[in-house]
Amino acid sequence: MSRLEEVLVYIKGLSLLIQGNREGFRWLDISEAGLWRSFTAILWSLPALAVGWASWRLYYLSAMPSGTTVGLGFVVKLFVVDLAAWLLPVALTLILSRPLDFTAFVVPVIVTTNWLQVPLSYAMAVPAAILLLVPGGQDVAVLLSFLLLFVNAALLFRLLRTVTANQNLLAAALAALFLLSPLMIVQSLQRLLGVMPG
């Protein structure tokens, strides 16, 4: 697992890339080893994801009949859902790279989007924490979630535009892939695994 100092260096590189400065690549490891290391971003994001799981558990129990309980298995299912949502865009990027002719960008796209998920996961944990800690904070949490989704989309597009050497159409297509495919698989898996109230 990467050390905190390394993760902060990677985030500095991401911030430069988001600003359109390709010097950001100097702060990132886009070698084959760096590609595999970037998946440890999932581990760095676990505390933030856990806040979301706790919030979803509260929502689930509030929507179910009185006396409903959930155990560790419920949390494991939520982890599976989040893991699938993380890995699906990566898999689709690999699958589509040859027919759409962007194989040269595959490794930097995967490395940068993996590490971008760390700060974004912690940002998205804020509205979840509001739901957990602030009575009647639903409206604020929902509004903040929507704002963060727009920020997420903007940052992702700017990052991918720099990574793909200013190919706006490709960057937009990849951004849509990384934003929309997780939403679709999350809803499907939540129903399949029984963690969606109803």
Side-chain angles (χ1 to χ4, degrees):
M1 183 170 171
S2 303
R3 296 175 301 168
L4 177 59
E5 294 81 3
E6 290 180 75
V7 177
L8 294 176
V9 166
Y10 298 151
I11 291 173
K12 178 176 176 60
L14 292 175
S15 69
L16 291 171
L17 292 172
I18 288 168
Q19 295 170 55
N21 186 346
R22 294 180 64 83
E23 287 292 309
F25 282 121
R26 296 180 60 185
W27 298 82
L28 290 156
D29 183 357
I30 54 172
S31 66
E32 182 179 346
L35 170 66
W36 293 112
R37 190 180 300 115
S38 72
F39 287 98
T40 64
I42 297 170
L43 301 178
W44 283 101
S45 299
L46 281 179
L49 294 176
V51 175
W53 302 337
S55 177
W56 187 262
R57 175 185 176 276
L58 185 66
Y59 163 70
Y60 179 87
L61 291 175
S62 70
M64 296 298 284
S66 179
T68 300
T69 60
V70 294
L72 180 61
F74 185 83
V75 175
V76 171
K77 290 176 182 178
L78 292 178
F79 170 71
V80 169
V81 170
D82 278 341
L83 186 62
W86 190 306
L87 297 178
L88 177 62
V90 173
L92 291 175
T93 298
L94 289 167
I95 291 168
L96 295 172
S97 62
R98 284 195 183 280
L100 297 182
D101 194 28
F102 64 91
T103 53
F105 299 122
V106 166
V107 171
V109 164
I110 293 173
V111 169
T112 55
T113 54
N114 274 346
W115 288 118
L116 183 64
Q117 287 301 318
V118 176
L120 292 182
S121 294
Y122 283 90
M124 292 302 295
V126 174
I130 290 173
L131 288 172
L132 285 170
L133 302 174
V134 180
Q138 290 88 347
D139 291 343
V140 174
V142 169
L143 177 60
L144 184 56
S145 293
F146 277 116
L147 288 174
L148 286 171
L149 283 174
F150 282 113
V151 171
N152 182 357
L155 293 177
L156 184 59
F157 172 73
R158 289 176 63 88
L159 172 69
L160 291 171
R161 184 174 60 184
T162 306
V163 169
T164 59
N166 296 316
Q167 295 189 45
N168 288 332
L169 187 58
L170 177 57
L174 287 170
L177 178 74
F178 275 86
L179 290 169
L180 298 179
S181 63
L183 293 177
M184 292 186 289
I185 196 171
V186 161
Q187 291 186 351
S188 299
L189 279 179
Q190 283 176 339
R191 290 188 177 89
L192 180 65
L193 297 177
V195 295
M196 175 74 78

